Amino acid sequence: MMIKLPLAQYREAEIREYEGQPLINALPPINSPQDTARMLARFPKVDEAEKVLPAHIRRHAMMRILDQFLYPTKSHLQLEQMISGMIRRGYLSRNIAAPDYQRSLDDVAHTNFNAIARNAGNEALVSSIIGCSGTGKSTAVEAILKTYPQAIYHPEYQHAQLVWLKVECPHDGSVKNLCTNFFRAVDDALGTDYQALYVKSRSSAESMLGDIARVSALHSIGVLVIDEIQHLEKSRSGGVAKMLNFFVTLTNVIKVPVLFIGTPKALELFQPTMRSARRAAQFGSLDWGRFARAENDGSDGEWERFFKRLWKLQWFEHATPINQEMIDLFWEYTQGIAHIAVALFYLSQARAVVAGREVIDRSLVTKVYQEELAMVHPMISALRSGREETILQYADLDVPRESLRVQASLHEISYAQKEQVSDKKLEASKLDQLVSLLIQMGIGEDIAPTVAEQALEERPEANLFELVAHIKDLEDRASEEPVPKKSSLKAQKSRPIYVENDLRLASGEDSDFTYQTLRNQGVIIELSAYL
C-alpha cells in the first residue's frame, strides 16, 4: 500500500510550453541563481556556550563541519539549471492530462526494451557529471534534488508522480543488483512492493530492465540519477554496454532523463556506447572540477572564498585569524578538493582543542596531514605534480582538462575540423602522443615507437586510453606464458680432499672416537709437561 504523498498544488506555467502540463505545474517555481545559492548554502551554527565545553564534548559539536557545511559555487548553479531543465523538458511529452496518455502507457507495457536497447541512438536527455572523488558531486546533486518534493500525488488523475529517483551502482558492478537498488528506491519513496514483485532469485537482468522501464513510465519519473557509474566497469559479459544502452533507450522511448555521476574512470565507459548521446545532449555534460585558485593577486578565486567561509567555523574562545600562509598551506595539502579540505580543518581544530592549545598553526596542520591523512598522500602528490601519467594511476582523480581535450579531439572532431585536418596528420599526432605515454610508463625509448605502431595497426579506431590498455593487456598475457624450464645437469656429489693425519679420517676409522683416541694419536697436548 502506498504511503501518504503530498497532494499536487498547481502553479501558473512560467512559459507557453508548460501550460496544461500537470506534472510540470505541480513542481516548485523555477529558481533564479540567487535563489539557488540561498537554498543550497549550508553553514552550521557555532554556539558561544559550546566554546567553553570540555574538549571531548566540543569535538562532537565540531562534527557539524563534516556534514552541515556546503558552499555553493558556479558549478552548483549550473548543475541546478541543468537538473531543472532536464525534469521539465522530459515531462513535455508525458502529459497525464492528455487523452492518449493511457494508451501511451499501454504501448510501454508491450515494448520490447531489450531489442530497442541493442540499437540505442542519440537522445538529448542523457547527461553526466564527471569529477574526482571528494569534490562534492553527489552532495551537490542530493542538495538540489531535495529542493523538489520527491513524490507528488495528483488526485484528479489518480497518479503518483516520482519527481526524482537516485540510485547508486553496486560496488560489484552487477546489473541485477543495480536493478534491485532501483526497485528498492521506488519502494522507499512510494511505499510500494516492486522489489518483492519483480526481484526473484531466477529473475534475469534483462527481464528486470523491462520492468524498470514500465515502472518509470507508470510513475512519471522526472529524472533518474545513477551515482558511482564507474563501478559498472567491473561488470562482466557485456554488462556495461547493455546497461548504458538501456538508459539511452529509456530516454528515447519514455523520455525519462538520466543523469550519470562518476569519477574520470567512468569516461572510458561512455566510449563508444554513450559518445553520440553525450555529444547530442542539449544540457551538456558537466566537468565537476576541484576549486580553482585566484589567477591574479588581490582577487579571490573560488578556493579563497570557500576556505574563508570554512575558516569561520571555529569552536575556540579566541578564533585564530586567517592569513595567506594558511590559505596556501591548505591548498598545498588538499589541492582544492573540498572533502579533504573540510576533513583536514576539522581534524586540526579537534587536535588543537584536545591538546589544550586552541590555535591552528602551520606545525599543527602539517602534523595532522602527515599522521591523519596519510592515505591520500599519493593522490595529492599526483595532483600536485600535474603530470598526467601520474594522475592516471589513481582512477578517482580528475584528468587535466588538456588531456580531455586531446581525447575529445581524437573522437569527436566536428565536421568543419575534419575538412581541415587530414587523417594522416591526426594519425601522426596520435602516434606521437602514444609514444610519449609509453615512455612515461617506463617502456624504453628505443622500443616505444615500435610498440605504439603495432598497437595502432591492431586497434586503429581506439583512443589513447584504450591503446594503452591494449598494450598492457598484451604485456600481461606475455608475462603469463609458461617459461620453458632450463635443462640442468645432474649435480655430482663433491668428494672431499684429505690431508695427512686428517681428523675426519680418524673419526671414520674408529667408531669409538673419544677423547682418549685423540690423546693416543698425539693430537691433545699434555700441559703438565710444561708446568
Side-chain angles (χ1 to χ4, degrees), residues 506-522:
S507 63
E509 294 170 356
D510 190 352
S511 59
D512 188 20
F513 188 64
T514 62
Y515 171 81
Q516 190 60 42
T517 304
L518 294 174
R519 187 175 180 183
N520 293 340
Q521 293 181 359

Side-chain angles (χ1 to χ4, degrees), residues 126-131 169 226-233 240-241 243-245 247-248 258-279 285-287 407 411-412 463 466:
V126 178
S127 193
S128 61
I129 305 171
I130 302 296
C169 280
I226 310 295
D227 200 0
E228 305 292 355
I229 189 67
Q230 72 277 359
H231 289 327
L232 278 182
E233 190 192 29
V240 176
M243 206 69 206
L244 295 180
N245 272 330
F247 287 130
V248 177
V258 178
L259 177 64
F260 296 110
I261 308 175
T263 66
K265 191 175 184 180
L267 283 173
E268 56 200 72
L269 303 181
F270 294 125
Q271 299 172 347
T273 309
M274 295 291 292
R275 186 167 63 241
S276 57
R278 290 178 73 229
R279 184 170 59 244
S285 294
L286 191 60
D287 288 329
Q407 186 178 0
H411 286 272
E412 300 178 19
N463 62 32
E466 291 168 343

Side-chain angles (χ1 to χ4, degrees), residues 498-510 513-514 517-519 521-524:
Y498 297 105
V499 296
E500 187 178 356
N501 297 325
D502 198 305
L503 289 179
R504 290 172 291 175
L505 293 175
S507 63
E509 294 170 356
D510 190 352
F513 188 64
T514 62
T517 304
L518 294 174
R519 187 175 180 183
Q521 293 181 359
V523 176
I524 297 177

Side-chain angles (χ1 to χ4, degrees), residues 41 43 48 55 66 79 119 151 192-193 210 232 259 266 307 328 359 361 363 375 381 392 433 436 451 479 502:
F43 193 76
E48 289 297 321
L66 300 175
L79 177 60
N119 299 293
T192 49
D193 290 319
L232 278 182
L259 177 64
F307 189 72
D328 295 340
V359 62
D361 55 22
S363 61
M375 186 180 296
S381 297
L392 287 175
Q433 293 165 11
S436 176
V451 173
S479 64
D502 198 305

Side-chain angles (χ1 to χ4, degrees), residues 259-377:
L259 177 64
F260 296 110
I261 308 175
T263 66
K265 191 175 184 180
L267 283 173
E268 56 200 72
L269 303 181
F270 294 125
Q271 299 172 347
T273 309
M274 295 291 292
R275 186 167 63 241
S276 57
R278 290 178 73 229
R279 184 170 59 244
Q282 60 182 313
F283 300 103
S285 294
L286 191 60
D287 288 329
W288 196 270
R290 299 171 282 141
F291 282 112
R293 296 202 68 178
E295 295 181 359
N296 303 316
D297 293 337
S299 62
D300 286 347
E302 284 191 338
W303 164 253
E304 286 78 11
R305 290 192 293 271
F306 160 80
F307 189 72
K308 287 179 179 179
R309 184 73 169 161
L310 175 65
W311 192 260
K312 294 179 180 180
L313 293 173
Q314 295 187 33
W315 271 261
F316 299 155
E317 287 189 66
H318 304 287
T320 303
I322 194 170
N323 53 53
Q324 189 61 44
E325 180 190 18
M326 197 57 65
I327 296 175
D328 295 340
L329 182 65
F330 267 77
W331 173 266
E332 179 75 9
Y333 289 155
T334 68
Q335 291 298 297
I337 298 179
H339 177 73
I340 299 178
V342 171
L344 180 58
F345 179 67
Y346 161 74
L347 292 170
S348 300
Q349 188 173 171
R351 181 172 290 200
V353 168
V354 171
R357 184 173 173 267
E358 297 187 2
V359 62
I360 303 176
D361 55 22
R362 185 182 190 90
S363 61
L364 174 69
V365 174
T366 300
K367 191 172 183 179
V368 170
Y369 175 74
Q370 296 294 343
E371 296 178 4
E372 304 283 352
L373 298 178
M375 186 180 296
V376 302
H377 286 186

